[in-house]
Amino acid sequence: MKILIVGALSVVSLYYAQNYPVSAIPENLKKNANAVVRKDVTTVQINKIDEIKYQSTTVTTVLNKDGDSKAVAYIPYEKGDAISDVKVTVYDEGGKKLKSFSKSDFGDFANNQQGTFYSDDRVLVLSYTPIQYPYTIEFSYQITDENTVFIPDFVPFSGTNISLEESQFKIINKTGIELRTKTYPSKYNYASVTESDNGVEKTYSYKNVPAIDDAFLLPEPVKILPKVSFSLTKFNLEGKQGTINSWKDFGSWYYNSILQPVSVSTPAIKAEVASLNLQGSTEEKVKKLFQYMQSKTRYIFVALGIGGWQPMLPDEVQKKGYGDCKGLTNYMKTLLDEAGIPSYYCKVYSSSSQVSFDPDFPKMGGNHIILMVPTEKGNIWLENTSQQIAFNHLTYTTTDRNVLLVKKEGIEVINTPVYTAEQNKEKQTLRIRLNDDNSISGAGLFEYTGSQYDYSLGYSNLSPKERNEALKSQLDILNFEKLEMKDFVNDRDHAVSKYNIDFKANNYSKNAGNSMIFRAVPIFSNNIYKTDENRELPFEIGQAFEDEYQISFEIPKNYKIEEIPDNVTISSEFGSYKLSIVKDGENLKVNRTVRVNKGIYPKEKYNDYVSFRKKINGIDNSKILITKI
């Protein structure tokens, strides 16, 4: 009997030691997944207008090395937050415990990926190096915060190649303050949320959400997945209480509590504006002030002030010569105020994929600040964090979305500019000499506007050698023996960048008896486009653009032009393409224009888009034949 009891206890002990074995994961959740969230349970308890408690437990199985980042144990916090019950347990593939950690094993860092000069925003992070795959991390903690304005959205996950077995978000409101909620279903029926509500306690859950594969031209997961948003109608932020029934009352609070206390000029700021002797139109005055501000400041992230949301004082930026988007924008606004020019502080979601605020659901949000200056000729938009960016130009990370424009009377939700394909333009002008040894030599002028100007700004801070190397990598379709970028110009008055190149590239043409064959378009996109019969999600072309190439070929004197391709025009809902080739005496002139339209397109049209791009690549590769005389 004793043997039987001991044996039974051993079996029970072994059973309970097997936590989250990988074998228990459903096969459909392993597909396209580098990591699987086995359990994600968050309980949010709002006790008072200035006390909110989060209790979180997540269990994540990492299937391979690419999933490590999905299971990092970290706790964002601000000074004054109470963090407790921090526990981390690591299990092997079978669910056997490998190691455990506590709060003392975590490192404490500034919570900013770019590096932070000053910050009240902190993060505890556990550094763990796995010794085997797959493995599972169970991570739990509690945190109590006085700021009740930042209740996070509830989404299944935030990235690609991660799946979810089970997730629950419970929010308990003991304050008597109205808690507004809004559910945003997936536009593509990718997953759905289950809801229950008994008045004081609301519970939301997801189950068995498969991973989003990181496919070509995939929209951001935020555009695919469902979410639930929350907002208290009365809130606290660092001791300042406010209401958020509408954008108007929230904006009035934001203006009076966040901006007004730091909207303070000084005699020194008055003097520097006076010294600029501003004259001319409003636009000319704003440009002179903006470019002056650029010349004396630089961007450094600073997360001090009320919840990291309040800007530095303008005189601090003036004296120190640095600031983050909040501080630099506030300083620029103060300069304009001293010049008698009204301007407005604007909160925006800055990202490569356009994300906007919900005009019908006011809540605290945004991750960047820009400035809008109204004029009789239209709005001027200022991106204040770059010393290189052009006047009245927003990058592709802030165009074509709405912003929260903060006024004394409240917030207005307005749109930033949309750049057309013609505005997002690259223009190449190439003069090329074909050589007998199959090489080409030549010179060219490259010009960029709109979002293509944004991409070229990276050259501004590079040395001549670094520019040449970067350009060589960008134009890797040619086998360069020599490539030199010259006369790089960043026209900050008109948002145009341009440069000249001198080059020689080998093996451009091929011999065929007494003839020579070469490609009609020397430099073009060599992306590989593959059809996908099992495409599961829509695809997004994030930016419209237009490329215009004018190419002049000088053929060797002992050759004549034998064959040239026919002129081609293609039209599609995705854009258009045109190639024309004309003889100019014994030389050739090639004109090539491609335009691509932005948009989110249904998955059923993906292969049509691939076909459109393949046709363009094929025509770019059209061959010209010249023969020895």
Side-chain angles (χ1 to χ4, degrees):
M1 179 62 71
K2 287 182 180 179
I3 293 173
L4 288 173
I5 291 173
V6 170
L9 289 174
S10 298
V11 170
V12 170
S13 175
L14 182 63
Y15 175 80
Y16 282 104
Q18 302 299 309
N19 293 290
Y20 308 106
V22 176
S23 59
I25 299 174
E27 286 303 313
N28 69 307
L29 297 185
K30 293 179 182 178
K31 182 183 177 183
N32 300 324
N34 296 323
V36 181
V37 177
R38 314 293 295 278
K39 182 171 77 169
D40 182 2
V41 178
T42 300
T43 300
V44 180
Q45 185 169 300
I46 311 167
N47 297 319
K48 299 183 292 184
I49 193 172
D50 58 355
E51 182 180 301
I52 186 167
K53 182 178 180 180
Y54 298 89
Q55 184 168 344
S56 173
T57 299
T58 58
V59 180
T60 305
T61 295
V62 178
L63 300 176
N64 54 55
K65 186 177 179 62
D66 291 333
D68 285 337
S69 62
K70 313 291 186 183
V72 174
Y74 68 97
I75 307 170
Y77 75 98
E78 291 185 353
K79 291 179 180 178
D81 292 347
I83 302 170
S84 61
D85 298 335
V86 180
K87 298 177 184 177
V88 177
T89 306
V90 183
Y91 304 97
D92 69 8
E93 181 176 3
K96 183 180 178 182
K97 179 179 173 181
L98 293 175
K99 201 165 185 179
S100 61
F101 302 90
S102 64
K103 183 180 177 182
S104 61
D105 297 306
F106 282 63
D108 193 340
F109 306 96
N111 189 13
N112 181 258
Q113 294 179 349
Q114 301 170 357
T116 308
F117 200 62
Y118 296 117
S119 181
D120 285 337
D121 294 334
R122 309 291 299 174
V123 61
L124 295 177
V125 181
L126 176 68
S127 177
Y128 172 72
T129 303
I131 57 174
Q132 61 186 49
Y133 294 94
Y135 65 94
T136 298
I137 286 189
E138 182 177 16
F139 170 41
S140 61
Y141 68 94
Q142 289 189 144
I143 183 169
T144 303
D145 190 355
E146 68 171 337
N147 297 323
T148 52
V149 71
F150 303 114
I151 303 175
D153 291 339
F154 179 47
V155 295
F157 40 76
S158 59
T160 58
N161 302 114
I162 181 169
S163 62
L164 173 71
E165 201 165 346
E166 182 178 3
S167 180
Q168 183 186 89
F169 190 95
K170 181 183 292 185
I171 188 160
I172 304 165
N173 181 14
K174 295 185 173 184
T175 63
I177 301 169
E178 181 187 356
L179 174 69
R180 294 182 299 108
T181 67
K182 186 168 183 178
T183 299
Y184 300 82
S186 168
K187 294 179 181 179
Y188 309 104
N189 299 315
Y190 196 81
S192 60
V193 62
T194 302
E195 308 177 27
S196 66
D197 183 356
N198 65 7
V200 173
E201 183 177 301
K202 302 175 188 287
T203 304
Y204 302 85
S205 61
Y206 301 105
K207 282 191 176 182
N208 297 318
V209 182
I212 296 174
D213 192 22
D214 191 12
F216 186 56
L217 297 179
L218 182 76
E220 292 289 326
V222 68
K223 294 186 176 182
I224 297 169
L225 297 167
K227 74 172 181 180
V228 185
S229 288
F230 309 89
S231 180
L232 284 172
T233 56
K234 295 181 181 179
F235 63 85
N236 179 71
L237 178 60
E238 301 290 334
K240 294 184 179 291
Q241 296 182 1
T243 59
I244 190 167
N245 290 294
S246 66
W247 285 122
K248 184 177 180 180
D249 65 359
F250 179 58
S252 179
W253 172 87
Y254 199 97
Y255 179 89
N256 289 299
S257 299
I258 301 291
L259 298 184
Q260 274 301 97
V262 293
S263 298
V264 182
S265 187
T266 64
I269 292 175
K270 293 177 188 290
E272 69 179 337
V273 173
S275 70
L276 293 174
N277 190 27
L278 299 173
Q279 295 180 356
S281 66
T282 300
E283 182 178 3
E284 289 170 328
K285 292 176 182 177
V286 176
K287 181 191 291 186
K288 190 167 185 178
L289 279 169
F290 176 69
Q291 293 181 346
Y292 165 78
M293 184 275 297
Q294 284 182 300
S295 70
K296 63 167 296 181
T297 61
R298 71 189 195 281
Y299 173 83
I300 292 179
F301 185 80
V302 180
L304 297 176
I306 300 174
W309 289 73
Q310 189 169 61
M312 295 168 60
L313 285 162
D315 69 319
E316 287 187 76
V317 178
Q318 185 210 32
K319 291 173 182 175
K320 296 176 179 177
Y322 62 73
D324 61 7
C325 63
K326 305 185 299 293
L328 294 171
T329 297
N330 191 44
Y331 174 53
M332 183 65 210
K333 185 180 186 307
T334 305
L335 294 176
L336 290 166
D337 288 343
E338 287 297 341
I341 301 171
S343 61
Y344 298 99
Y345 190 91
C346 297
K347 294 172 62 63
V348 64
Y349 281 108
S350 175
S351 63
S352 57
S353 187
Q354 293 87 5
V355 177
S356 286
F357 298 91
D358 183 347
D360 300 320
F361 192 82
K363 64 170 293 185
M364 181 69 101
N367 60 2
H368 189 52
I369 304 295
I370 54 180
L371 197 66
M372 191 276 276
V373 186
T375 75
E376 59 278 4
K377 294 183 179 180
N379 296 335
I380 292 172
W381 294 91
L382 302 178
E383 168 55 70
N384 302 287
T385 59
S386 170
Q387 295 171 299
Q388 304 297 336
I389 200 167
F391 168 72
N392 195 18
H393 174 80
L394 295 181
T395 72
Y396 65 92
T397 64
T398 51
T399 52
D400 194 14
R401 67 202 70 200
N402 65 27
V403 302
L404 305 181
L405 181 145
V406 184
K407 291 184 173 181
K408 183 177 182 180
E409 303 79 20
I411 280 173
E412 288 185 26
V413 182
I414 69 169
N415 295 325
T416 58
V418 178
Y419 295 156
T420 63
E422 294 89 343
Q423 291 172 303
N424 296 332
K425 189 168 186 175
E426 174 191 3
K427 185 174 181 180
Q428 286 184 22
T429 306
L430 297 176
R431 301 179 306 281
I432 295 175
R433 183 174 64 254
L434 288 158
N435 302 317
D436 289 325
D437 62 357
N438 301 120
S439 69
I440 54 172
S441 358
L445 171 64
F446 288 66
E447 298 179 73
Y448 301 93
T449 58
S451 63
Q452 304 224 51
Y453 165 80
D454 302 337
Y455 304 139
S456 69
L457 273 184
Y459 289 119
S460 298
N461 297 318
L462 300 180
S463 68
K465 181 179 179 181
E466 289 170 331
R467 286 176 181 171
N468 292 340
E469 290 301 315
L471 184 62
K472 190 173 183 180
S473 176
Q474 179 187 334
L475 307 180
D476 61 355
I477 196 166
L478 291 177
N479 180 20
F480 287 107
E481 178 182 315
K482 167 198 167 187
L483 177 63
E484 182 182 5
M485 180 191 292
K486 301 190 299 184
D487 310 317
F488 177 84
V489 173
N490 173 19
D491 182 347
R492 295 191 295 125
D493 291 335
H494 303 100
V496 178
S497 65
K498 59 181 83 172
Y499 53 82
N500 292 298
I501 65 169
D502 283 332
F503 67 93
K504 181 177 182 182
N506 297 321
N507 304 318
Y508 185 74
S509 61
K510 291 184 178 180
N511 295 324
N514 290 327
S515 299
M516 188 184 291
I517 301 170
F518 59 93
R519 192 172 65 239
V521 180
I523 299 170
F524 64 94
S525 169
N526 59 346
N527 287 338
I528 298 173
Y529 296 92
K530 295 181 179 180
T531 57
D532 184 356
E533 301 302 331
N534 300 310
R535 180 88 185 192
E536 295 179 343
L537 288 166
F539 64 100
E540 180 176 21
I541 303 172
Q543 296 292 323
F545 66 88
E546 182 175 283
D547 293 342
E548 180 184 318
Y549 298 173
Q550 297 174 359
I551 308 155
S552 174
F553 283 103
E554 177 188 335
I555 68 172
K557 294 187 182 297
N558 54 335
Y559 280 80
K560 65 177 182 177
I561 301 166
E562 192 76 37
E563 291 182 19
I564 61 173
D566 294 332
N567 294 339
V568 179
T569 300
I570 299 174
S571 293
S572 161
E573 67 176 304
F574 310 113
S576 60
Y577 175 89
K578 185 175 182 180
L579 181 72
S580 64
I581 304 174
V582 260
K583 295 180 182 179
D584 180 20
E586 291 305 312
N587 294 329
L588 286 169
K589 291 194 178 299
V590 178
N591 290 291
R592 181 248 199 200
T593 303
V594 60
R595 179 183 298 179
V596 173
N597 302 326
K598 70 175 294 180
I600 296 181
Y601 298 88
K603 62 182 181 181
E604 291 79 11
K605 294 187 176 182
Y606 178 74
N607 288 339
D608 295 336
Y609 176 70
V610 169
S611 176
F612 170 67
R613 296 309 298 258
K614 280 185 171 182
K615 283 180 184 177
I616 291 174
N617 281 0
I619 299 166
D620 282 342
N621 270 292
S622 296
K623 301 300 190 290
I624 296 170
L625 177 70
I626 60 176
T627 304
K628 279 186 179 179
I629 300 172

